[in-house]
Amino acid sequence: MLKNSTFEQSRSQMIILLHSNARKFIHTSRDGKELLLESRSLVNAFWEVAEKFPEELIIWRDQDIDPIIADNIEECFPHELIMSSFPIVNQYIPDQIGYIDQLPFVNPNYEVVYPTWRMSTDIGGTYGKTALRFRDTFKEITSFGYLLNSIAKTGQQNGLFCYTNPNLTESNQTIKLSFNSTDDELFRFVAQHYKKEWLWILLFCFWRYEKRLLLIPFLKSLGKKSFFKQKIHLPIHEIRREKVSNESEDIDVIVPTLLRSEHLRNLLVDLSKQSKLPNRVIIVEQDPDPASVSQLEFLKEKWSFEVIHHFVHRTGACHARNLAMKSVTAKYIFFADDDIRLETDLLEKTLAEINRLGVGCINLNCLQPGEQSVFPKIKQWGAFGSGTSVVKSEYALKCEFSEFLEKGFGEDIDYGLQLRSKGCDIIYHPDLQFVHLKAERGGFREVMKGQDSPEEEPKPSPTMMYLVKSAYTQIMQRGYKVSLFIKYYRKQSIKNPFRYFGSMKRRWRLSERLCEELNNAK
C-alpha cells in the first residue's frame, strides 16, 4: 500500500478512482490529494471525474485486491483512444460469452498486451474525454463493470483500442478468475450488444450443455434497448504521437505466385513506383510440374529494389510464405498477393499510420474493381489477411503459417491468432486501399471431400475443424457448432429439420475423423 501512496503522490495528470468490489465508491485522488466529489455512487463518480478532468487519465482500482500500480503505467496509454484493464481476480463478462462469439477478442491471452473488449474492474484506465463520448449512450447504466464492458464493446467497433494489459500492475499474475455478472446481466449484455437472435443460441447452449433453462433472464432481455451498430464519433484521425521518420523504416515484400507472370510483373512495376521503395521483394514461384522452368524471365531486369527469387515445385501459399520469410531482413513485411495493383504512396502511408497508431500490424483495405468499402472506420480487427497486411518483422518472424492448413481454410485466422499471442494487435484501416483483381489462374486451395455426395462432405472442412479444436475454448467450440448448424440450414437443400440435423451430425463426425487423420499424418 505504501508503494501505491508514493506513486499517487509522485504522478500528475492522473486520477485514481478507488472502489470496493466494483460496487462501493471509496474515494478519488489526484496528485496524492483526495478529490471531493458530489457523487456517492461509483458510476456517477466515474462520470463526474471524467467531466471535471477530461484531459487526464482515469485509473480505476479495487482496494479489496490492492493491485500494485506500475510506475510507468502512463506508457500503457500512448494515445487517448485506448482503454485497458487487467484481471487479477475478477473478470466481469463470463466465458459463456463464447457460446455466441468466437472472435479472438473473447479469449484473451493474459500474458501479453492482447486486444479484447472484456474489461476487468480490478485495475484499468482510459482518458476522461474518451469516456465522455459514451456518456449519453450509457447514462442509464448503474453497474460499473457493465458500463466498462459496454464502453469497450461499443467503442471497439468505433475506433477505440481495447486491451488486457499485464503492464498496468506489478502484481500481474492472474489466478483462477471469478466472474461478476449475473445471468440477467449476461443476457442483457448480449441483447444490447449483439443481434437479438443470438439470445436464442445463448439460451439453447445453457440448456444443452449446462442443463440450465434460463427463461427468466432470456425473457427480461428481449425488450432491452440495443446498442448494436451504435455510432460513436472518436477522433482517431486526430491521434498524434511523436513523429517518427519513415526514412529509417525499411520494408520487404513477400509474394507467392503460381502461373501469373503477367500479374506479377504489373505488381513489380507498381512497387518500383512507390514513394517509399521496398528494400527487398521476395518472390516464391511455384509450379507443380517437376520438369518445368521459371516463367519469370523479367526478374533479371533492373529493378529499384533487390529481388529474391525462389522457384519450387511444391504448391501452397503457407509453404511459400514461410520460405519467403527466411529471406526477410527489413523491419516490416508486406504480405502481398500477386494479382494486386497499388497506388504510388501506399507503402509510405501505411508505415506512417503504423507509427502514428503505435501498432504492430495493419490490415489494408482490399477491394475488387468497382467494390465499395464495407467497414468505414479504423478499428481492431478480428481477422487477418495473409495477402493484405503489413506487419512488424519482430512479430511476424516469430510466427509461421501452418502448413497443416495448406490448401484448406483457416490459415489466415491461425496466423492472426499467433500474432496476437505475441502481443501484436491487428488494425483494419479503410483508408489504405489497393485493388485485388482476383485473377482466375493460380489458386491455392483444393476441396477435400469425404464422400461423392455433397450432402456427405465434411462440415466444416477438416482444416477448419483443426483450427476450432486447437484455438477455441470448449465453450467456443460448442457455440461454433450450434451456430454453424443453424446458419448452414438456409444454404443447403435438405429442408426436413430432422433429416438435416442427422446429416450435419454425420458431416461433423466425418470432419473430426479426417482432421484426426491429417493430424496423425503430419
Side-chain angles (χ1 to χ4, degrees):
M1 189 66 183
L2 177 60
K3 186 164 187 177
N4 271 328
S5 298
T6 303
F7 172 83
E8 293 181 21
Q9 292 171 5
S10 64
R11 306 302 302 175
S12 59
Q13 306 300 308
M14 187 181 302
I15 308 293
I16 307 299
L17 181 65
L18 197 65
H19 64 86
S20 174
N21 197 29
R23 291 184 174 88
K24 183 180 179 181
F25 168 54
I26 304 301
H27 74 81
T28 55
S29 60
R30 181 174 183 260
D31 298 333
K33 298 178 181 180
E34 184 172 356
L35 287 174
L36 297 179
L37 302 179
E38 296 179 5
S39 304
R40 291 295 175 261
S41 75
L42 180 55
V43 168
N44 288 339
F46 176 75
W47 291 129
E48 183 178 344
V49 168
E51 185 172 19
K52 289 183 174 179
F53 305 96
E55 300 297 327
E56 300 192 20
L57 180 62
I58 302 173
I59 299 293
W60 61 83
R61 180 170 72 84
D62 191 334
Q63 74 161 9
D64 297 336
I65 300 168
D66 196 23
I68 301 175
I69 299 176
D71 286 339
N72 58 345
I73 193 171
E74 72 280 356
E75 295 179 9
C76 299
F77 302 88
H79 59 75
E80 66 187 56
L81 295 184
I82 289 179
M83 185 176 190
S84 290
S85 73
F86 188 76
I88 299 171
V89 175
N90 299 305
Q91 190 61 286
Y92 187 78
I93 298 294
D95 289 339
Q96 279 84 353
I97 193 70
Y99 283 140
I100 58 99
D101 190 338
Q102 288 86 48
L103 286 176
F105 309 129
V106 307
N107 186 30
N109 177 356
Y110 294 114
E111 296 180 359
V112 299
V113 180
Y114 195 95
T116 180
W117 53 262
R118 293 178 69 184
M119 290 288 117
S120 171
T121 57
D122 291 353
I123 186 171
T126 193
Y127 277 90
K129 60 183 177 182
T130 299
L132 286 175
R133 293 180 179 273
F134 298 86
R135 183 171 57 176
D136 289 343
T137 301
F138 299 130
K139 59 186 176 183
E140 297 179 1
I141 294 176
T142 58
S143 164
F144 188 57
Y146 195 99
L147 173 64
L148 295 180
N149 282 271
S150 293
I151 290 175
K153 184 69 174 71
T154 304
Q156 192 181 59
Q157 297 303 309
N158 288 276
L160 184 65
F161 293 1
C162 306
Y163 302 97
T164 178
N165 191 339
N167 301 318
L168 292 171
T169 172
E170 295 183 13
S171 50
N172 59 1
Q173 296 299 313
T174 60
I175 61 175
K176 185 176 180 179
L177 293 175
S178 59
F179 302 101
N180 302 116
S181 67
T182 63
D183 293 334
D184 283 352
E185 288 172 315
L186 175 59
F187 273 83
R188 175 188 172 193
F189 190 86
V190 172
Q192 294 192 300
H193 298 283
Y194 295 84
K195 291 182 179 180
K196 288 289 178 67
E197 49 259 41
W198 286 109
L199 288 169
W200 293 94
I201 294 180
L202 184 63
L203 177 69
F204 175 81
C205 287
F206 268 109
W207 171 76
R208 172 68 178 81
Y209 298 113
E210 300 187 22
K211 310 305 179 187
R212 302 172 63 202
L213 186 57
L214 301 178
L215 279 175
I216 293 178
F218 169 78
L219 293 172
K220 285 183 177 179
S221 66
L222 289 177
K224 297 297 182 183
K225 179 181 178 181
S226 175
F227 302 124
F228 183 70
K229 294 188 177 181
Q230 179 73 42
K231 290 180 172 58
I232 305 291
H233 175 67
L234 297 175
I236 194 164
H237 290 284
E238 299 173 16
I239 290 175
R240 292 291 179 266
R241 289 160 46 86
E242 184 177 350
K243 184 174 176 60
V244 180
S245 171
N246 290 334
E247 293 300 321
S248 61
E249 309 283 19
D250 52 357
I251 184 169
D252 288 345
V253 182
I254 286 177
V255 189
T257 187
L258 175 63
L259 305 176
R260 287 176 174 170
S261 59
E262 181 180 352
H263 288 291
L264 178 65
R265 182 183 179 88
N266 290 335
L267 173 59
L268 292 182
V269 171
D270 287 352
L271 289 171
S272 68
K273 296 178 180 178
Q274 290 294 304
S275 55
K276 174 63 180 178
L277 288 170
N279 185 42
R280 285 180 165 184
V281 178
I282 305 164
I283 297 166
V284 180
E285 179 187 6
Q286 302 158 89
D287 194 322
D289 182 358
S292 63
V293 296
S294 173
Q295 299 180 5
L296 308 180
E297 289 297 318
F298 56 83
L299 295 183
K300 298 177 182 178
E301 299 175 12
K302 184 176 179 59
W303 296 95
S304 306
F305 37 73
E306 182 181 2
V307 175
I308 306 293
H309 178 216
H310 300 279
F311 180 55
V312 297
H313 297 297
R314 173 179 174 179
T315 61
C318 295
H319 172 262
R321 291 189 175 104
N322 289 337
L323 176 62
M325 281 194 285
K326 295 178 181 179
S327 300
V328 166
T329 59
K331 184 175 180 179
Y332 295 94
I333 302 173
F334 176 23
F335 291 95
D337 284 332
D338 58 0
D339 58 340
I340 62 177
R341 301 306 304 266
L342 314 177
E343 296 293 332
T344 57
D345 57 356
L346 181 66
L347 295 185
E348 180 182 13
K349 284 183 176 179
T350 301
L351 293 179
E353 285 296 89
I354 287 178
N355 285 321
R356 185 179 73 88
L357 298 173
V359 297
C361 172
I362 280 185
N363 226 143
L364 309 179
N365 189 5
C366 172
L367 298 172
Q368 295 181 44
E371 186 180 11
Q372 299 296 316
S373 294
V374 176
F375 304 103
K377 295 186 177 183
I378 300 171
K379 64 178 184 177
Q380 291 177 313
W381 201 231
F384 172 79
S386 58
T388 64
S389 300
V390 175
V391 190
K392 280 189 175 180
S393 298
E394 65 179 281
Y395 300 115
L397 298 181
K398 294 177 182 176
C399 309
E400 65 178 9
F401 289 90
S402 173
E403 296 182 20
F404 177 76
L405 302 175
E406 193 77 272
K407 301 180 183 179
F409 294 90
E411 80 284 355
D412 292 30
I413 300 173
D414 178 71
Y415 193 81
L417 290 171
Q418 292 182 56
L419 286 174
R420 293 183 191 90
S421 72
K422 299 294 187 292
C424 178
D425 196 7
I426 299 171
I427 304 299
Y428 164 76
H429 203 303
D431 301 333
L432 300 172
Q433 302 179 2
F434 65 86
V435 176
H436 189 189
L437 299 176
K438 283 284 186 180
E440 293 183 5
R441 300 186 65 187
F444 294 105
R445 303 193 189 280
E446 296 175 357
V447 177
M448 293 184 89
K449 295 186 178 182
Q451 303 290 338
D452 293 333
S453 170
E455 293 181 4
E456 299 303 327
E457 292 176 5
K459 195 70 178 176
S461 69
T463 51
M464 188 63 198
M465 178 65 76
Y466 171 81
L467 182 66
V468 168
K469 296 287 189 180
S470 61
Y472 289 4
T473 66
Q474 185 182 58
I475 288 175
M476 293 169 69
Q477 290 178 34
R478 290 170 171 174
Y480 173 82
K481 183 177 182 180
V482 171
S483 60
L484 174 68
F485 277 37
I486 293 174
K487 290 178 180 178
Y488 190 62
Y489 178 75
R490 291 174 293 183
K491 300 180 181 180
Q492 50 80 53
S493 59
I494 303 175
K495 297 308 175 186
N496 183 307
F498 298 102
R499 184 183 164 209
Y500 169 75
F501 183 68
S503 172
M504 283 297 287
K505 286 203 300 184
R506 291 191 297 273
R507 297 174 73 174
W508 181 275
R509 288 195 295 266
L510 175 60
S511 180
E512 288 182 318
R513 178 171 61 79
L514 292 175
C515 174
E516 185 176 354
E517 291 176 1
L518 286 171
N519 198 25
N520 292 336
K522 281 198 301 184

